[in-house]
Amino acid sequence: MADEPLVLGIETSCDETGIGLVRGHTLLMDAVASSVDEHTRFGGVVPEIASRAHLEAMTPTVERALAGAGARLADVDAIAVTAGPGLAGTLLVGAAAAKAYAFALGVPLYGVHHLAAHVAVDQVEHGALPQPCVALLVSGGHSSLLLVPDVATEVVPLGATVDDAAGEAFDKIARVLGLPFPGGPPVDRAAREGDTQAIFFPRGKYDDGTLDFSFAGLKTAVARWVEARERAGESVPVADVAASFQEAVADVLTKKAIEACRRHGVPDLLIGGGVAANSRLRAMAEERCEAAGIRPRVPRPKLCTDNGAMVAALGAELVARGVEPSRLDLPADSALPVTTVSV
Ligand code: KG4
Ligand code: ZN
């Protein structure tokens, strides 16, 4: 609705410069400039390269977002920015830009938590979030289970990875299999031709009674299996390894997510983060949720990976709910706790 405030969201926690424009639950524009290609040859994100790329991409991406939404900077009613967690240097670039825009326009500024933003973005896809809901957030930087009584004010951590993030495991397995970085999409594609039951890889913390995850053992098991084949001079069945590995990841993630819903009596499960783009995870979540009487909510893949729309979506919710804005000297905090929805 045209009378709802127009919120500009800025996301720079990793390698995506994301600028989103949201009014209420309506996404007007989502512009992303990624520096991922500059990191490919290093096999992972190089923070200093990412920071410089954000600096160069910021103004053009804001302009592209405004043009796409048919809006001018003067139309913006509030600025939201990822205050953390993320890479310290890249967060700083976003926070500095957000402060400058907020100060210059004379509009309120909201520093928000990256994970809460991954949850809030679903409102521009499927409407108001059920309260409470359980959120499974899986990406290159995080693997978390959250209880979300109210995305604007209260997020409770239920579990997280004790070692690697799920996306990190995809990236490392891709490397072992000679597939490019980031590893999620090529592993997903290779797995389509493979047999999910070809090899049984270990599922970390599967029956330990916690809602935590562990992917380091799985990653090592896959690497050892591949090395053993190579040492024996045998060819590596890339598709089968990819499919069996992906099966193990999807199995633990969905098992624990459904367990979280059961324990807390919550019938709605939201899945977000880059790994939520995974075709097997999406299919298995749908199947298992249906069997358990749980309603899954998964935003479209473009809204699952890091973007500015998610930050704008959370900003819009904070504005609508009358949550107090942040101070202009808000800190960028690379280790911002998930219980802090806005700073
Ligand atoms: O949310 P995101 O864009 O950035 C972080 O906050 O990390 O997630 C990126 C991660 C990468 O590790 C990438 O390999 C993974 O998400 N990813 C996938 C798929 N698409 C992206 N993992 C599995 N299957 C996919 N289709
Ligand atoms: Zn993320």
Side-chain angles (χ1 to χ4, degrees), residues 114 118 139 142 306:
H114 181 80
H118 267 302
S139 79
H142 30 80
D306 288 352

Side-chain angles (χ1 to χ4, degrees), residues 258-276:
I258 285 168
E259 177 60 26
C261 290
R262 278 219 186 95
R263 276 191 205 177
H264 295 273
V266 174
D268 292 279
L269 171 66
L270 178 122
I271 308 182
V275 181

Side-chain angles (χ1 to χ4, degrees), residues 13-16 114 118 138-142 166-168 170-171 182-185 188 246 273-279 304-306:
S13 70
C14 192
D15 59 340
E16 264 95 30
H114 181 80
H118 267 302
V138 274
S139 79
H142 30 80
E168 223 177 325
F170 271 94
D171 296 339
D188 197 345
Q246 189 170 276
V275 181
N278 186 265
S279 59
C304 284
T305 50
D306 288 352

